[in-house]
């Protein structure tokens, strides 16, 4: 069951397969240690959420976190997004996410 949860977290597009990009993002998330590796993990996570754009939306965060934490309620998600969206523009930029 734990392994299926990890697989579900890594299988970002829900295809039933973990591609190389999904694998790298998952490994960065699961194995981040120390300040330098933690920063690298955050950058990988941001790229996974933003899909090459300069920001990500609450819907994109919801999609990822619902797989990682299935019992996460919408109030907690709102709070997490609100903490990350420091300038309150409705999206989270790379700078907001990493800092």
């Amino acid at each position: 069951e734990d392994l299926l949860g990890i697989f579900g977290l890594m299988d970002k597009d829900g295809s039933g397969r973990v591609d190389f990009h999904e694998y790298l993002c998952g490994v960065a998330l699961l194995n981040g240690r120390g300040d330098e590796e933690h920063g690298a993990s955050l950058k990988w996570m941001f790229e996974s959420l933003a899909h090459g754009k300069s920001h990500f939306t609450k819907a994109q965060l919801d999609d990822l976190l619902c797989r990682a934490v299935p019992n996460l309620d919408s109030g907690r998600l709102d709070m997490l997004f609100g903490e990350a969206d420091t300038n309150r523009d409705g999206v989270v930029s790379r700078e907001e996410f990493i800092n």
Side-chain angles (χ1 to χ4, degrees):
E1 191 171 307
D2 289 338
L3 186 55
L4 287 174
I6 293 169
F7 182 84
L9 173 63
M10 290 182 161
D11 183 21
K12 188 173 175 309
D13 64 4
S15 67
R17 305 174 101 187
V18 175
D19 66 25
F20 187 66
H21 183 258
E22 291 170 329
Y23 171 77
L24 287 177
C25 290
V27 169
L29 173 64
L30 295 171
N31 292 320
R33 295 185 187 112
D35 290 339
E36 185 174 307
E37 290 180 10
H38 180 70
S41 295
L42 289 174
K43 288 176 186 175
W44 277 110
M45 288 174 57
F46 179 84
E47 292 302 322
S48 175
L49 287 164
H51 301 289
K53 295 183 181 176
S54 62
H55 62 275
F56 64 84
T57 66
K58 184 176 168 197
Q60 290 167 305
L61 180 64
D62 181 39
D63 181 53
L64 178 69
L65 288 182
C66 283
R67 284 189 218 148
V69 187
N71 60 351
L72 182 68
D73 65 46
S74 62
R76 180 74 175 139
L77 178 66
D78 291 343
M79 188 180 83
L80 290 170
F81 189 82
E83 288 175 8
D85 184 17
T86 58
N87 67 0
R88 307 290 183 245
D89 64 353
V91 296
V92 176
S93 70
R94 175 188 296 270
E95 293 75 27
E96 287 174 313
F97 187 76
I98 293 172
N99 295 326

